[in-house]
Each structure stands twice: as structure tokens, then as C-alpha cells.
Amino acid sequence: MSPTYDVIVIGLGGMGGAAAHHLSARGARVLGLEKFGPVHRRGSSHGGSRITRQSYFEDPAYVPLLLRSYELYDRLEQDTGREIATLCGGVMLGRPESRPVSGSLLSAERWGLPHELLDAKEIRRRFPTLAPHDDDVGLYEARAGLVRPENTVAAHLQLATRHGADLHFDEPMTRWEPYRDGVRVHTAEDVYTAGQLVLCPGAWAPELLTDLGVPFTIERQVMYWFQPTGGVRPFLPENHPIYIWEDTDGVQVYGFPSIDGPDLGAKVAFFRKGTPCTPETIERTVHDHEVAAMADQVGRLLPSLPGRFLKAATCMYSNTPDEHFVVARHPAHPGSVTVAAGFSGHGFKFVPVVGEIVADLALDGATGHPIELFDPARLAAAPA
Ligand SMILES: Cc1cc2nc3c(=O)[nH]c(=O)nc-3n(C[C@H](O)[C@H](O)[C@H](O)COP(=O)(O)OP(=O)(O)OC[C@H]3O[C@@H](n4cnc5c(N)ncnc54)[C@H](O)[C@@H]3O)c2cc1C
């Protein structure tokens, strides 16, 4: 018979990897099951870079979690020696009333976070790669920057293994059921039992969390790499910040400094302009008309882009209707199941703190972190 575990974690991507680490570091006997190999590209945690920032325009309630996430990212770097975070600074750009600007300002003021408000002229002077409209402004935050998704996932898996977790790759869970005081999990290879189940399914949330009643929608997103005219030097992290820019038509684009050498140029993407998909049906080919639309949009903000198109890659967002996360005990199985899903395209910067919260919920039944915003009850379909 298979050994029994304290906790089984399903999905070893961003969130599940962090959960496996935090759970095993606290002494729990952990089994992690992952559908694909370690650090793969078929979910949501690949593509070389993710924005991180503290003056959070989505809601000030995220700020304490971000402060903790920054501490845990530092520790992850120290504990593994991997390059994880680059705090090159970041500007949230647009009209003063745009969400990136007004929402970031709200969070910065509410939490006393260091920031500067810059007008368009000052932005162009300090960051010559950016040429916003004359009536755009920017909230600059020195503590913003980027984190490396693949290195983060690899670091968490490495630490989880060091703490004794059993991590099984290419072994998807096929189903689970309540069993005695805990759960029983089936795969094609075996059946495992545990006191606690943690579900971190990413874009597979619609199939793994049907009984949650949350209408998750999965979206195909594209990341683009362009070679700037004049080379990457002005785009190195010491010269070029991360940015999110809302244009006058409400379209948001964001981008990164050049961090992977001259051959990979600089990465840019649309924020929230995806198309519905499923992990099985997602179109992985990026078409010329998509590249042309991106090239046109970035050219409006960055005079030395698009330059030359280098490559593109697809990824998935798992959206909730209000774009806030779902992190909670499962309402139908509150004694034995924890869920972390619906990260709605902005979850990566929270990966370490979500790992910590999930470990609190699974091992203690509660967390001291403020997660009221992530309660699935707010989204559950009203009974007919
Ligand atoms: C293009 C793009 C840009 C983004 N930019 C940012 C950004 O700048 N800043 C930011 O903070 N966030 C960003 N995000 C969001 C962030 O990357 C995600 O919120 C985060 O990666 C989600 O992690 P996850 O663990 O939920 O999903 P994943 O990392 O995909 O992990 C889910 C895992 O579950 C596994 N799985 C599924 N079903 C099973 C099963 N039955 N059995 C076993 N395993 C299973 C999958 O194989 C997968 O490995 C971006 C996302 C994308 C796609």
C-alpha cells in the first residue's frame, strides 16, 4: 500500500510549488502531484519575467501580502542562490484618472509606500525609452521590478525536495474523494491517502474545482519579444523600468527591461486582452496580425520599439469575474481541502505568500494573513 501523507498538493506550478515548500518546511509529510514535468510551459508560470510592484492598483488590500511576498522572495533567493527578483523600478502610466495611476496612488497613500508622481516631461527625461502622451502621468515606485517565474518554481521545488517532500511529475490526479477524516487521491499509477488536500490547478480550475461554484474563465495571452532599434543598452534594467501603460482607449500594455541578453530584446504584452480558451484547445501559434497589433501599440509609447520582432509565446490567465483570487478552505470540504486558484493574470508576485497562506490553512485551519477578499463565497452562483 502507498504511504499516507499529511498533505497532497495537486499542481506543482507557481502556487503549488510554493505550497509544497512551505508545507514540507513545517515538517508535514507532503506528496506533490504534477500533470507535466518540472517547470513546464503549458500552464501560467513561464516566459522569463513577471512584474512585481507594491502600490497595487487592483486593491489596497493586497499590499500587506505583497510586503510579505517581498520578504519571502528575498529568502528564497538566499536559500537557493538562484536569481529571482530584479527591482529595477516601475512606472504605472496613463491619464491621472486611469486605473494604473489612480489605483496605485490610492494604495501608495493608504499604506505610506514610497513613490513619486511624474509628469510626461519628467518621465521622458528620466526614462528616455518611454514617450508617453503629454497629458499622461506616471507613478514611479523604486521597489517595483520583476521576478523570474521559472527560477521561482525551480527554487520552491528544490527546497520542497530538500525538506523531504515526494514530488511526482507526469502523474496527474485523475480524481479524488473524501476518505475517513481526509482524502483519497487517484492517479493512473496509484491511490494515495492524506489528511489534507491542496488544489493549485492554475488553468485547470474549471475541471478540478467544479463544485466550488466559481465561474472561472481561462484566457489565452501572448508575450512578445522585440529587438529595439539601436540595441538593448537603453533597455537594460539600470536604464529602463517595468511599466504598465493605459492608453486613452483603455487598452493596457506592459513591458520589461532586457534581461536575457541582446538576442532576446525586450518583452512586451497586452494586459487583459486575451481570448477564451481551455488548456486543451489553446491556439499556441501566434499569428502575424497579432504581432502587428502589438507592434502598433508599443510603438505609441516606446519610440525604439517595435524594432524587429523576435519571438512570441502563449500563456493562460485563469480569471474570476472580479479578477480577485480564490484562496480558502473549500466550502464543501472545510476540514480537509484548501484551494488556491483564479489568479486572474496577476498572481505571480504573490507566489511565496500564497504558499505560506496555503500551509497555514492546510495545517492550522486558518491564517493570520488578510485573505477576506479571496473568499469564494463572493462569487459562488446563487442557488436556483
Ligand atoms: C502572459 C502572462 C503574464 C503574466 N504576468 C504577470 C505579471 O507580470 N505579474 C504577476 O504577478 N502575475 C502575472 N501573471 C499571472 C501569474 O503568472 C499566474 O497567476 C501564476 O503563474 C499562476 O500560478 P498557478 O500555480 O495558479 O498556475 P500554474 O503555474 O500553471 O500551475 C498549475 C499546475 O497545475 C498542474 N495541474 C493541472 N491539473 C492537474 C492534475 N489533474 N494533476 C496534477 N497537476 C495538475 C498544471 O500542470 C500546472 O503545472 C501572468 C500570467 C501570464 C499567462
Side-chain angles (χ1 to χ4, degrees), residues 14-15 34-35 40 44-45 50-51 173 315 343 348-349:
M15 305 302 168
E34 166 55 48
K35 190 179 181 77
H40 64 86
S44 307
S45 299
R50 291 289 185 267
I51 285 181
M173 175 180 75
C315 177
F343 290 94
F348 210 88
K349 58 186 87 57

Side-chain angles (χ1 to χ4, degrees), residues 142-218:
R143 300 269 298 150
L146 62 98
V147 291
R148 296 288 216 164
E150 290 88 347
N151 292 0
T152 301
V153 176
H156 279 134
L157 299 181
Q158 177 188 341
L159 293 181
T161 304
R162 199 188 285 172
H163 295 307
D166 286 342
L167 306 182
H168 295 189
F169 295 95
D170 301 302
E171 187 179 346
M173 175 180 75
T174 48
R175 67 189 171 90
W176 70 273
E177 71 246 342
Y179 179 70
R180 298 194 176 147
D181 286 343
V183 296
R184 190 156 62 180
V185 168
H186 301 255
T187 72
E189 275 95 285
D190 217 331
V191 179
Y192 308 92
T193 58
Q196 295 290 322
L197 179 64
V198 166
L199 297 168
C200 302
W204 287 261
E207 72 185 67
L208 264 65
L209 298 175
T210 39
D211 51 350
L212 207 56
V214 173
F216 295 104
T217 50
I218 308 308

Side-chain angles (χ1 to χ4, degrees), residues 63-323:
V63 174
L65 300 175
L66 285 163
L67 299 178
R68 179 62 178 154
S69 211
Y70 269 60
E71 288 174 5
L72 292 171
Y73 264 124
D74 273 353
R75 198 184 294 168
L76 191 62
E77 224 158 29
Q78 286 158 19
D79 289 349
T80 61
R82 289 175 191 264
E83 177 222 328
I84 305 234
T86 301
L87 299 185
C88 55
V91 229
M92 300 300 112
L93 287 162
R95 299 282 167 88
E97 64 280 9
S98 68
R99 196 152 174 237
V101 174
S102 63
S104 300
L105 187 60
L106 178 72
S107 277
E109 288 179 341
R110 185 155 315 163
W111 290 96
L113 300 171
H115 66 282
E116 293 171 70
L117 267 186
L118 310 176
D119 63 19
K121 209 168 133 203
E122 184 63 8
I123 294 163
R124 289 192 209 110
R125 193 187 66 77
R126 284 186 43 186
F127 308 110
T129 44
L130 302 175
H133 301 312
D134 286 345
D135 49 1
D136 280 346
V137 296
L139 182 139
Y140 176 72
E141 188 178 47
R143 300 269 298 150
L146 62 98
V147 291
R148 296 288 216 164
E150 290 88 347
N151 292 0
T152 301
V153 176
H156 279 134
L157 299 181
Q158 177 188 341
L159 293 181
T161 304
R162 199 188 285 172
H163 295 307
D166 286 342
L167 306 182
H168 295 189
F169 295 95
D170 301 302
E171 187 179 346
M173 175 180 75
T174 48
R175 67 189 171 90
W176 70 273
E177 71 246 342
Y179 179 70
R180 298 194 176 147
D181 286 343
V183 296
R184 190 156 62 180
V185 168
H186 301 255
T187 72
E189 275 95 285
D190 217 331
V191 179
Y192 308 92
T193 58
Q196 295 290 322
L197 179 64
V198 166
L199 297 168
C200 302
W204 287 261
E207 72 185 67
L208 264 65
L209 298 175
T210 39
D211 51 350
L212 207 56
V214 173
F216 295 104
T217 50
I218 308 308
E219 242 179 37
R220 170 184 180 271
Q221 297 285 339
V222 184
M223 305 172 271
Y224 301 84
W225 286 258
F226 289 99
Q227 183 64 255
T229 318
V232 293
R233 178 171 282 275
F235 281 79
L236 294 178
E238 54 272 31
N239 302 320
H240 178 79
I242 61 97
Y243 55 89
I244 300 179
W245 177 55
E246 185 172 304
D247 201 353
T248 41
D249 54 6
V251 171
Q252 294 179 353
V253 287
Y254 63 94
F256 296 85
S258 175
I259 46 172
D260 289 310
D263 295 345
L264 268 182
K267 185 175 117 178
V268 295
F270 286 111
F271 195 23
R272 314 208 167 288
K273 211 178 164 230
T275 44
C277 70
T278 73
E280 285 72 39
T281 62
I282 179 172
E283 163 74 287
R284 293 292 185 184
T285 305
V286 176
H287 299 279
D288 291 348
H289 69 89
E290 297 180 282
V291 177
M294 184 77 250
D296 175 57
Q297 187 72 40
V298 288
R300 294 182 208 176
L301 177 67
L302 298 111
S304 49
L305 288 184
R308 186 161 55 87
F309 171 66
L310 297 172
K311 70 162 188 169
T314 55
C315 177
M316 289 176 283
Y317 284 2
S318 310
N319 295 329
T320 64
D322 61 6
E323 292 164 4

